[in-house]
Amino acid sequence: MMPDNVVNNILHRLPLQEAVRTGILSRNWRFKWTMLSEVACNASFFAYLIERRVENSFGMVANRLLLHFNGAITKFALDLTLLNGEDILHLIMFLSKKGIKDLNLEYWSRPQVNLPTHIFSCLELQHLRITGCCFNPPHGVRGFPNLLSLKLCCVEFGGGDLGGFITRCPLLEILKLDYVSYTGSSVKLAEIAKLENLKILSFPLCHLETTSSCNVFELLGCLPKLQEVGLDFQDYNLTEAGAIKVFQAAFPSLKAFKITRIKFGNGIMLSRVLEIIRRFPNLQTLGFTAVQQADDPFPISIPIPNPEVEYNTMELQRVEFLEV
């Protein structure tokens, strides 16, 4: 008989449906799958149910299946697309009582589904990724005191105060926001500055409270542990007045810098980006995408740095041209 740690290693490498099917191997294997601590009810799992023409609702199947797990479920990935609101509520309530630490929720349909507020009862969460949902923190919510990484993609943030919510996750090391929409006030630099442990930041600049380029430097300067930064310039209307201040500080800890959806036809914006790059003496990876405005007189081209400016990027190893 194999030791439990070896069995668990095998089961964790299998899709959920295959892990459950190992119960037919022998009497000893019958309930081994119930020891799993990492579970994925993802698109592959639901495709399997469709292929087998399961008559019960997919949410009912997932809920009944999870009731068989004995210990804590520390990592869980769930595709919400084929589930109704009641199914989602029951699953989140269940996970909130199972010591969940790593949660990945995806929804690939319209209109976006509202996540139940029970998700804020998962106070042991360390990693949270949400794609394609409405995320509505209730007023006065404590946030996630143990959260290390937060990734929101194509999310409608309904809580209003995005910056305030972020500050209620004080241990954050990774913050990535992509196509996040919200109706509240812009994020303040002082709010991001509270995330003193932040190592990776991917952030739309249009969420900042002003359109001054010096704010970009201030944003980076208040986060000394940053190693990787991605700045999205879409809808970020930098003014000439906001580009005047020169910032002298360098950021030696930064190793990777990604610039997204920048307008190369905007000379002010381009000069500020080159000024930013100049402040990264140990930069190893530089990546960017560009967008072209309809009224740009010339096609997009790679800018030529000013030869009179010392860029101090001898550590640069890779330049990536990312897809638009």
Side-chain angles (χ1 to χ4, degrees):
M1 182 182 299
M2 287 187 288
D4 284 346
N5 65 321
V6 175
V7 174
N8 283 335
N9 200 336
I10 294 172
L11 293 175
H12 278 118
R13 296 172 184 271
L14 296 175
L16 178 58
Q17 62 271 20
E18 300 300 331
V20 175
R21 291 181 67 190
T22 61
I24 67 173
L25 294 176
S26 70
R27 183 176 298 176
N28 289 330
W29 278 83
R30 187 174 179 183
F31 295 110
K32 292 292 186 181
W33 62 272
T34 64
M35 298 187 300
L36 283 171
S37 60
E38 300 181 7
V39 182
C41 292
N42 51 20
S44 172
F45 172 73
F46 290 114
Y48 175 83
L49 296 183
I50 293 173
E51 183 181 348
R52 294 297 187 276
R53 299 182 180 181
V54 173
E55 296 182 358
N56 294 329
S57 73
F58 298 137
M60 183 182 297
V61 173
N63 275 293
R64 287 182 176 178
L65 190 63
L66 290 180
L67 289 175
H68 287 83
F69 287 92
N70 294 320
I73 299 178
T74 57
K75 185 175 182 178
F76 190 73
L78 177 62
D79 189 330
L80 306 171
T81 309
L82 299 177
L83 306 181
N84 60 41
E86 186 175 354
D87 293 332
I88 296 172
L89 174 61
H90 289 160
L91 286 168
I92 297 298
M93 287 180 63
F94 175 83
L95 292 171
S96 68
K97 302 173 183 177
K98 297 292 285 186
I100 185 73
K101 294 183 178 180
D102 189 320
L103 181 60
N104 183 4
L105 301 175
E106 299 179 343
Y107 189 79
W108 302 103
S109 186
R110 292 285 180 175
Q112 292 176 314
V113 66
N114 285 303
L115 292 179
T117 56
H118 287 82
I119 191 172
F120 298 101
S121 298
C122 303
L123 297 180
E124 296 182 46
L125 268 179
Q126 296 179 357
H127 306 281
L128 176 61
R129 178 184 175 90
I130 301 175
T131 303
C133 302
C134 291
F135 189 52
N136 301 313
H139 180 71
V141 68
R142 289 181 292 173
F144 298 106
N146 298 303
L147 201 65
L148 299 177
S149 68
L150 174 64
K151 302 177 182 179
L152 304 180
C153 179
C154 301
V155 166
E156 181 179 330
F157 186 86
D161 186 9
L162 177 59
F165 172 76
I166 292 173
T167 62
R168 292 192 288 275
C169 307
L171 300 184
L172 272 182
E173 296 179 356
I174 300 173
L175 174 62
K176 293 188 175 183
L177 306 180
D178 194 10
Y179 295 100
V180 175
S181 61
Y182 67 101
T183 57
S185 59
S186 297
V187 178
K188 298 177 177 61
L189 286 171
E191 293 170 328
I192 298 182
K194 293 180 180 180
L195 304 176
E196 56 185 22
N197 295 312
L198 209 59
K199 297 178 181 178
I200 298 176
L201 173 65
S202 181
F203 190 80
L205 289 175
C206 63
H207 288 349
L208 283 181
E209 57 186 342
T210 69
T211 57
S212 171
S213 68
C214 63
N215 276 355
V216 179
F217 293 111
E218 292 171 6
L219 173 62
L220 301 179
C222 66
L223 301 169
K225 295 183 181 180
L226 272 181
Q227 299 174 13
E228 178 181 324
V229 172
L231 298 179
D232 187 343
F233 281 79
Q234 181 159 347
D235 298 325
Y236 184 66
N237 298 313
L238 182 63
T239 63
E240 187 171 2
I244 293 175
K245 181 178 177 180
V246 177
F247 203 85
Q248 299 297 335
F251 307 96
S253 62
L254 205 93
K255 302 296 190 298
F257 184 45
K258 296 183 179 180
I259 309 158
T260 306
R261 292 181 287 191
I262 185 173
K263 298 174 183 177
F264 280 166
N266 186 323
I268 298 173
M269 185 178 295
L270 186 56
S271 66
R272 291 300 89 189
V273 169
L274 293 176
E275 181 70 17
I276 293 172
I277 295 173
R278 184 185 173 193
R279 305 303 174 185
F280 303 152
N282 297 313
L283 190 67
Q284 297 177 2
T285 300
L286 173 63
F288 59 86
T289 65
V291 292
Q292 186 173 9
Q293 296 172 275
D295 57 351
D296 280 349
F298 304 106
I300 293 173
S301 60
I302 300 174
I304 301 175
N306 186 341
E308 297 180 359
V309 175
E310 182 181 359
Y311 281 86
N312 278 331
T313 53
M314 297 300 294
E315 299 294 325
L316 191 62
Q317 300 174 7
R318 183 169 67 252
V319 177
E320 301 174 351
F321 299 89
L322 309 173
E323 295 182 3
V324 178

